[in-house]
């Protein structure tokens, strides 16, 4: 199944796993802007210390978290001719993120990474 190009409506949910408290949710397509919005809404409900974020293997979550919690890293000029290295977003040292990816065969769970 290719969920990335699916324009149907999906339920995006952020919740606190220990208490099973739903923090926020969005109904929308599987697109980057929806992941960005969910991370933004979730952040408004969090304390200053950031929790461990865990998601499925959908590629939009790492970019959304980096956009919200990333720090711009500048590179010093080297004095060598040519274009300087372009600044980039890097994860904040306090950002903790993991993906849980389930491998299935024939509809049965075979492995969790």
């Amino acid at each position: 199944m290719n969920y990335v190009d699916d324009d149907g409506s999906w339920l995006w949910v952020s919740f606190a796993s220990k208490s099973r408290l739903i923090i926020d949710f969005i109904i929308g397509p599987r697109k980057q802007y929806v992941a960005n919005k969910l991370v933004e809404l979730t952040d408004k409900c969090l304390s200053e210390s950031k929790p461990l974020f865990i998601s499925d293997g959908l590629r939009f979550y790492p970019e959304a978290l980096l956009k919200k919690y990333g720090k711009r890293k500048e590179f010093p000029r080297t004095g060598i001719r040519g274009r300087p290295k372009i600044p980039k977003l890097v994860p904040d040292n306090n950002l903790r993120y993991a993906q849980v990816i389930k491998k299935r065969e024939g509809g049965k769970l075979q492995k969790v990474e």
Side-chain angles (χ1 to χ4, degrees):
M1 296 175 93
N2 186 0
Y3 297 115
V4 176
D5 298 326
D6 190 325
D7 287 331
S9 291
W10 291 89
L11 179 61
W12 298 69
V13 180
S14 68
F15 67 96
S17 60
K18 286 184 180 180
S19 64
R20 296 186 182 182
L21 172 70
I22 293 177
I23 298 171
D24 217 322
F25 70 93
I26 300 175
I27 296 175
R30 283 194 169 209
K31 301 289 183 185
Q32 185 64 56
Y33 75 92
V34 183
N36 295 349
K37 182 68 175 171
L38 183 65
V39 169
E40 194 68 38
L41 291 169
T42 301
D43 181 67
K44 290 180 181 180
C45 299
L46 300 177
S47 65
E48 289 297 316
S49 62
K50 299 301 174 224
L52 169 64
F53 290 92
I54 301 172
S55 74
D56 59 11
L58 189 63
R59 68 183 174 125
F60 300 129
Y61 294 118
E63 187 175 325
L65 289 168
L66 191 59
K67 181 178 179 183
K68 178 64 185 169
Y69 302 113
K71 302 291 180 189
R72 183 178 165 107
K73 181 177 180 180
E74 301 278 345
F75 297 97
R77 295 198 173 264
T78 62
I80 300 173
R81 287 180 47 180
R83 290 187 175 160
K85 198 169 182 182
I86 298 172
K88 67 178 186 175
L89 279 178
V90 296
D92 181 273
N93 290 336
N94 297 321
L95 179 62
R96 298 178 303 147
Y97 174 65
Q99 282 187 341
V100 175
I101 301 172
K102 298 176 183 176
K103 303 286 183 177
R104 298 179 186 270
E105 286 183 26
K108 293 188 178 186
L109 183 64
Q110 300 296 317
K111 183 176 162 184
V112 177
E113 294 179 2

